[in-house]
Amino acid sequence: MIVTKPFPTQRLVILAALLFATVPARFAPAAPPMLPSGEPDPNCPELRLWVRADSGIKDTEGRSPADPGFNGMVAAWNDRSPQKFNLAAAPGRAPLFVQQQPAAGNRPTVAFSGEQILTRSSSVLHDRPTSTMILVVQGQPRNSHLFSTGRNQHTRETLNLNYPDAGWAGLGGVYMTSAGERGYDLNLALPSDGRAGGRFAIILSNGESDRRTLEFHDGTSYLMGGERNQFVGPLASDKCSRDFFLGGGEADFFCGQVAEMIVFNRGLSSAERREMLNYLRHRYELDMTDGLFPAGTFLLPADSFEGNWTWSRTQPGRYLRDQHLTADVKTTDEGIKTTINVPRNGLYHIWVRALENDFRSPVSNSSALKTIVQGKELRVTHVRGPATTLTWREAGEVELKAGPAEIVIRGEGPGGKDCDSVLISPTAATLDAVEELCALAKRLRGMGGESRLTAVFENGLRLDGSLLTGWRWTGPSGQVSRPDPATLPPLVCLQFDRRQAVPERPSTAAAEAMLEFQNGDRLRGTICGYVPATSQPGPSVSAQLLVRMPAGFPQSAIPVEIDWLRRIVFEPSPRDRPCPPKTLIHRNGRAYSFRAIRWCAESVSVLTEESLEQIPLSEVAEVRMATDDAWDGYYRELAILDPEGKAGIIRVEANEGMVLTASTIRSSHLAAPNDPVALAHLLQPAWSRAPIPVSWISTRLLWRAPSYVVPLSRFAPQRVTQRGVLGSSWKWQVDRNVAGGILRSDGMEFLWGFGVHAPNEMVFTLPDCVRAFRTSVGIDAVVRNAGCAIAKIHADQVSGVPLYQSKPLVGSAMTVSTGEIALPPGTGAARQLILVTENAHEASGKGDELDIGNHVDWLEPTLLLDPVLLHAKVIKGSK
């Protein structure tokens, strides 16, 4: 069987839903469901064409792809609709069948390479002016005619996709009317950095009585909708030719892959468009990242509503999608309306972003809006702010049941109205939560097609993949089917891009340094001052270093408490430089073991056993401070970040290795006036006297979890025993494999853990508040098919039956998960968790007793603590 591989150099773009239609009268009664069984009804009398690559394909010998002799050619593609508008290949120009397209949810597609055509000429594609056309395709970055009707260049209808490298995508076409030829060209602005390359999108072109709208929905989040544009002009296409060409036509050809095409003989309402959009996004895995947001979250740009308000593009950059709706209300207003599909019963917060009333007159309602949800009128908003200011205001809370829910926005009182967007959320109870949802949605939409995204949920469930390679869910029992988004547990950790294998870089200034803290935080900057501890009556203040951060951050110095520091690196070493606690390393290599250390603005004084040495900061390579007990440090940190035991812990990793840990009560978002999306997190770690901004665009990893969910890699092992013939040459690593690279196994990247070389034994001391442990384990991908080991987990001592023992791990193509392991309760003495890896050469079948290639990774090991016992430890430690 000849089956083509997906085109490696093509940009993959799902163009779903090109809707050439006149929408029924606004707010008319809803039509029967378009998808009564979860997909279009094949018996619908208004369905004119429905071809999908998983059925109806025949080769030149009449065989289907399921037949062993299928030759890979697509000579016929049969229509699933009642019209039987079957398509046939032009002689010698049959496209090819792609069995599985990873970038299309592993669905089959039909591949066109420039001159292949599927055609029909016996009847017209649609016979009404108000038709709806849907295409799901993959296209190259060039001008491509996806289809055309009619042979004559001046009497045909065409659909032309423009997708060059210039940073914009466009849809252009010609349609025929009784008044003659009409053309349109709708451009969609996309970033010029090429991040749109390879991503899926759903494009909806919807006609109304006086305009045609075009939407571009990609596969990175339903929030914020998609790019949107409109074309004003007559829309009736009532001269459709009988000659139809899928693949371009006689002169202008299409290069790409088609997965599905649907044509209806009528326009679609807002609710029907959303229903079709949801169907296509789910089928082709364009909704995978929706699970990163709480179920039931809807961020709706106002221009996705229907109504008699007017589109406006004034002052781009102030609005969520540079487009908004305006109205000049004289007396009464019907408003704008849309329908959402609520996934589950619950209380939902309703937020509206719009222009504030200038409030110069107490009777003025020039910007006031009223929101109505399922017939319930909420409070009037946007009546008390400064003129020309766009703000989020909460309209109220409403109990909603699972199913369709109608949202209406109306102008309150006469005057000009201006609405930007509406947010419906079960969790966004504060303005800061709204800002975070918007910023996260924008960050996801900025991902490149090849960017690999990894998400870890509170129960250990993982989502891993990219827009090009497809997506994969894994859980405690291994690979799992796609879960129900409405039942997903809370998201714990999200990585947007790959971690840097070596986060440190040579300093560009004599005093520039990487500061590492006892809790694992890292801050890069220039030490520019010193503040001694205060001894005056009142609250004491610890000694501080003043650190100026790199360009791009506020240049006011950040005060950093010295007693939180673990290490300061001024001159990174290409190799692991020995630096015991309470040691200073000079740039000339000399080591100073000190009893005490004192800082100045430009130098440091160290008291050794022999003398007092004052060393300029420009001559210091590294300083290692005294090491605190890691668990005592955790309790101390929580006493500052979460003294009541109710806040969530937030940890952000940004470019150049910066890591900051704060909590929900010591964080916010930095948003400029009229900026539609927050630009940065504002995080105040326990060691800082001031909040520190971290831009969303530079954020690579985001951790957000309760304080009782803790990565084991935060705590160094009490003891590590390395055995084996070759193991002594490999040192265990934190959050890296033993070769210093990214933790990677079974085709996935993991966000934290330990890299070891088997046979190896790691011993961790645990307090009595730890109740359970879970991890995955596998051979690291750096050794490929080499390596064979067994993993065991013991409590307190390496004897007897282990709490867990894996099957033999042979090569890096598999990982195993322990699931949640309950740990024996403490008996007063400190407990120990022991992670053991052993050789399993007999399982490899090679008979090799050496431990070559036994690079084993403990992947995302996590401790689960008892919240009550943990809070008691925090209170006790803070007294």
Side-chain angles (χ1 to χ4, degrees), residues 394-611:
E394 187 174 16
E397 301 173 354
V398 60
E399 289 281 350
L400 295 177
K401 296 184 180 296
E406 182 184 75
I407 314 295
V408 178
I409 305 292
R410 290 179 182 165
E412 184 71 6
K417 316 298 176 187
D418 189 310
C419 184
D420 179 30
S421 48
V422 177
L423 174 69
I424 299 97
S425 171
T427 60
T430 65
L431 178 60
D432 198 64
V434 174
E435 296 283 3
E436 180 167 351
L437 285 172
C438 295
L440 178 57
K442 184 176 181 179
R443 179 67 176 86
L444 286 171
R445 286 176 57 79
M447 287 176 51
E450 296 182 356
S451 296
R452 194 172 189 89
L453 183 141
T454 302
V456 180
F457 296 82
E458 194 169 297
N459 66 348
L461 185 69
R462 303 179 87 252
L463 172 65
D464 186 83
S466 78
L467 298 168
L468 295 183
T469 62
W471 303 96
R472 176 182 177 185
W473 289 95
T474 53
S477 59
Q479 191 165 350
V480 297
S481 59
R482 183 175 178 176
D484 181 359
T487 61
L488 280 174
L491 179 68
V492 167
C493 194
L494 179 61
Q495 180 174 281
F496 302 99
D497 301 295
R498 292 180 175 178
R499 289 187 174 191
Q500 298 174 354
V502 182
E504 295 180 338
R505 61 175 175 80
S507 61
T508 58
E512 188 179 62
M514 177 68 80
L515 290 77
E516 295 185 4
F517 298 84
Q518 301 286 353
N519 66 346
D521 284 3
R522 298 163 67 98
L523 180 70
R524 184 180 295 280
T526 301
I527 297 175
C528 59
Y530 168 74
V531 179
T534 61
S535 57
Q536 300 176 356
S540 61
V541 176
S542 301
Q544 303 164 26
L545 290 179
L546 301 180
V547 180
R548 182 174 293 112
M549 300 180 67
F553 293 90
Q555 289 304 291
S556 57
I558 301 295
V560 171
E561 296 191 8
I562 293 176
D563 60 356
W564 282 94
L565 286 168
R566 178 175 63 193
R567 187 171 73 132
I568 305 178
V569 179
F570 293 90
E571 184 183 55
S573 172
R575 297 184 178 180
D576 188 19
R577 176 169 47 206
C579 188
K582 304 184 71 173
T583 301
L584 182 148
I585 306 294
H586 197 281
R587 287 182 183 253
N588 62 15
R590 181 181 176 185
Y592 297 83
S593 296
F594 57 82
R595 298 171 56 189
I597 186 168
R598 295 291 182 269
W599 295 85
C600 298
E602 298 180 354
S603 64
V604 61
S605 298
V606 291
L607 177 63
T608 69
E609 294 290 344
E610 296 83 17
S611 63

Side-chain angles (χ1 to χ4, degrees), residues 695-723:
S695 68
W696 271 96
I697 196 171
S698 69
T699 298
R700 284 207 317 272
L701 186 140
L702 176 64
W703 169 281
R704 188 185 184 106
S707 58
Y708 54 80
V709 178
V710 191
L712 179 63
S713 57
R714 173 180 173 130
F715 307 98
Q718 178 187 8
R719 184 179 70 254
V720 178
T721 304
Q722 182 67 61
R723 299 186 300 273

Side-chain angles (χ1 to χ4, degrees), residues 19-32 34 46 128 130-132 206-210 235 265-273 306-308 337:
L19 307 177
F20 297 85
T22 297
V23 176
R26 290 180 175 84
F27 308 158
M34 295 186 64
E46 295 172 320
R128 297 181 191 173
T130 55
S131 65
T132 298
N206 190 60
E208 300 182 43
S209 60
D210 59 350
L235 301 175
N265 244 6
R266 66 176 177 87
L268 304 182
S269 68
S270 173
E272 289 173 326
R273 292 201 308 272
E306 289 184 341
N308 58 359
K337 172 191 287 189

Side-chain angles (χ1 to χ4, degrees), residues 48-49 85-88 117-126 133 146-153 155-159 174 176 239-250 261:
R48 295 288 294 177
L49 172 68
F85 194 94
N86 299 333
L87 304 178
I117 294 176
L118 292 172
T119 183
R120 179 183 170 96
S121 60
S122 60
S123 60
V124 297
L125 181 62
H126 57 84
M133 193 167 293
L146 303 179
F147 76 89
S148 66
T149 62
R151 296 176 180 272
N152 189 302
Q153 182 175 358
T155 61
R156 67 177 182 175
E157 298 187 10
T158 64
L159 181 63
V174 174
M176 302 308 300
K239 292 292 183 181
C240 183
S241 169
R242 291 181 178 273
D243 297 305
F244 174 77
F245 303 91
L246 179 61
E250 293 291 320
M261 182 175 184

